[in-house]
Amino acid sequence: MAKAITEEKLASQELSKLFETHSRVVFFGGAGVSTASGIPDFRSQDGLYHQQFSYPPETILSHSFYVANRGEFYEFYRTKMIALDARPNQCHLKLAQLEREGVLSAVVTQNIDGLHQMAGSKRVFELHGSVHRNVCQRCGATFDAEWVMAREHEDYQGAPVCPHCRGEIKPDVVLYEEPLDEKVMIGAIEAISQADALIVGGTSLVVYPAAGLTRYFNGDSLVIVNRDPTPQDSRADLLISCDIAKAFDF
């Protein structure tokens, strides 16, 4: 049976010890990593899936809805998916530090907020893309999140249009009904398969194919850091149930 910890101080001690005894650690994180930065997750009590919108978030964030209702999609995307004021929290900062020290091999993230890179992490596999890349589907020009938020370029039903060719601009994020990027998946699988310890943090492990990446882990220590139970808790060597930012305060 996995060792279970709920106290933040003990959690940080255990994680510190893990990094002292392993040299190829990979961190695999989800929306819960960024809640301390003010970005809501999806499935917790205060998450997006418990809020009331004209359509369910899963519908709005689907490829078919994007194609049929670009204006409504962009309204949700701008107000709920882009958080320009968000800053890295202790978890992001500690992971970047551990990478610089040579003990964290990679970050695999389901998040699209770019906070790992803002904190200084270099080797980041963004499974679901990033709001900081928005690509013209005609000429390939890219635009950052600030440009999308400016709203000076709306031209088609409230959605931005490329100023160079008048083409459609699509966020470089993986929507429901869309496949994950093959190169990103290959890189994430390689990193996880070579790790001697895997820390899974801030994710419910119910969204596939991302949740299935843990099956590629062959190391000796699987740690799950999440406030709520996950379907993979029985596989873990250590279960930590507390604030993830405080757990990484070491």
Side-chain angles (χ1 to χ4, degrees), residues 15-98:
L15 288 175
S16 177
K17 188 186 306 180
L18 181 82
F19 282 99
E20 291 172 358
T21 55
H22 295 77
S23 58
R24 298 187 312 279
V25 184
V26 167
F27 179 84
F28 171 36
V33 175
S34 295
T35 53
S37 296
I39 299 177
D41 62 8
F42 290 87
R43 291 173 175 79
S44 72
Q45 193 61 40
D46 298 320
L48 288 179
Y49 288 176
H50 290 273
Q51 299 178 28
Q52 296 298 314
F53 303 104
S54 300
Y55 301 88
E58 301 99 317
T59 299
I60 300 173
L61 296 175
S62 67
H63 178 82
S64 55
F65 188 92
Y66 166 80
V67 171
N69 306 277
R70 283 179 56 205
E72 288 181 83
F73 168 87
Y74 263 102
E75 186 62 29
F76 184 87
Y77 178 63
R78 286 180 170 122
T79 58
K80 297 299 181 181
M81 307 307 292
I82 298 178
L84 295 181
D85 294 333
R87 293 294 179 267
N89 59 55
Q90 178 60 29
C91 180
H92 298 107
L93 296 170
K94 176 58 72 169
L95 291 171
Q97 175 192 329
L98 292 165

Side-chain angles (χ1 to χ4, degrees), residues 152-172:
E152 298 171 353
H153 38 260
E154 292 178 3
D155 189 44
Y156 177 74
Q157 298 180 357
V161 173
C162 179
H164 309 300
C165 70
R166 312 304 293 168
E168 164 195 344
I169 294 174
K170 182 180 181 298
D172 188 18

Side-chain angles (χ1 to χ4, degrees), residues 70-222:
R70 283 179 56 205
E72 288 181 83
F73 168 87
Y74 263 102
E75 186 62 29
F76 184 87
Y77 178 63
R78 286 180 170 122
T79 58
K80 297 299 181 181
M81 307 307 292
I82 298 178
L84 295 181
D85 294 333
R87 293 294 179 267
N89 59 55
Q90 178 60 29
C91 180
H92 298 107
L93 296 170
K94 176 58 72 169
L95 291 171
Q97 175 192 329
L98 292 165
E99 182 187 42
R100 290 192 298 271
E101 294 173 355
V103 290
L104 184 78
S105 299
V107 169
V108 178
T109 181
Q110 296 171 279
N111 295 341
I112 59 175
D113 51 44
L115 291 181
H116 285 293
Q117 290 93 330
M118 189 183 295
S121 291
K122 303 299 183 185
R123 195 176 185 217
V124 181
F125 296 98
E126 296 176 309
L127 298 176
H128 296 153
S130 173
V131 298
H132 297 284
R133 298 186 300 272
N134 301 273
V135 186
C136 175
Q137 302 302 288
R138 181 179 296 170
C139 72
T142 58
F143 303 88
D144 59 22
E146 287 81 1
W147 186 87
V148 169
M149 291 294 286
R151 306 180 82 103
E152 298 171 353
H153 38 260
E154 292 178 3
D155 189 44
Y156 177 74
Q157 298 180 357
V161 173
C162 179
H164 309 300
C165 70
R166 312 304 293 168
E168 164 195 344
I169 294 174
K170 182 180 181 298
D172 188 18
V173 298
V174 179
L175 303 176
Y176 288 102
E177 305 167 351
E178 294 180 345
L180 301 190
D181 183 275
E182 184 177 0
K183 289 179 66 175
V184 174
M185 280 291 283
I186 290 173
I189 289 170
E190 183 179 81
I192 290 173
S193 65
Q194 294 175 356
D196 56 5
L198 176 64
I199 302 174
V200 179
T203 174
S204 57
L205 288 174
V206 297
V207 177
Y208 283 81
L213 289 175
T214 57
R215 72 177 184 270
Y216 295 99
F217 176 60
N218 301 306
D220 58 40
S221 295
L222 173 61

